[in-house]
Amino acid sequence: MATIEDLLACIDDPDDDSTRAYELTASRDRSLTPRLVDELGSFIAAEHFYGRDVIADAIAEIEGVEALPVLIRASAVDIGDDQDSLGSTIMEAIWADIGRAAELVDELASDNDPRVRDKAQWARSMVDLQASRKA
């Protein structure tokens, strides 16, 4: 079983295929989330988008739709990349439970940070799009 330290050690390894992320999240151990959220903040502060994306994926795998607030807040910080991977992670979290995603995104729509509100608005449009496809 991989540890968070194993995962962090492999992030800068160009030959790694993120199997440690899968190993780490396989147990869905929610006690890992606070540490992962801290590491996510560190990668964002360092403007390390690959690290941000790997850690965001791990959080989403463990937390499912409940990861949306963390993921949307991470997305609200522009570190100069296209955020394609992070956007995909957010979409997968939305698809996990559209009804709950709508609730979480609506809560973020009144956040104090206008960047978070903007990302919440985008996420809400994705919720609505997915809901219309299911109808």
Side-chain angles (χ1 to χ4, degrees), residues 10-82:
C10 75
I11 285 177
D12 287 319
D13 179 354
D15 296 322
D16 184 69
D17 63 0
S18 297
T19 55
R20 287 181 182 92
Y22 302 119
E23 291 172 10
L24 180 70
T25 60
S27 68
R28 302 208 186 243
D29 181 355
R30 296 183 98 182
S31 71
L32 300 173
T33 301
R35 168 83 188 280
L36 289 168
V37 170
D38 288 345
E39 296 297 341
L40 178 66
S42 295
F43 281 111
I44 291 169
E47 297 185 348
H48 191 302
F49 63 87
Y50 180 69
R52 176 205 61 204
D53 292 348
V54 170
I55 299 299
D57 283 346
I59 293 168
E61 187 66 29
I62 291 170
E63 294 292 329
V65 70
E66 297 300 324
L68 276 175
V70 170
L71 300 175
I72 290 171
R73 289 182 196 291
S75 180
V77 181
D78 181 5
I79 59 174
D81 68 313
D82 60 17

Side-chain angles (χ1 to χ4, degrees), residues 103-124:
E103 294 170 6
L104 293 167
V105 168
D106 288 347
E107 290 172 14
L108 291 171
S110 61
D111 194 271
N112 290 334
D113 187 334
R115 300 171 304 169
V116 172
R117 291 193 307 266
D118 182 55
K119 291 296 180 173
Q121 182 179 6
W122 168 81
R124 182 59 199 210

Side-chain angles (χ1 to χ4, degrees), residues 77-95:
V77 181
D78 181 5
I79 59 174
D81 68 313
D82 60 17
Q83 293 194 9
D84 283 349
S85 293
L86 184 55
S88 293
T89 300
I90 291 170
M91 289 301 303
E92 288 175 20
I94 288 170
W95 295 335

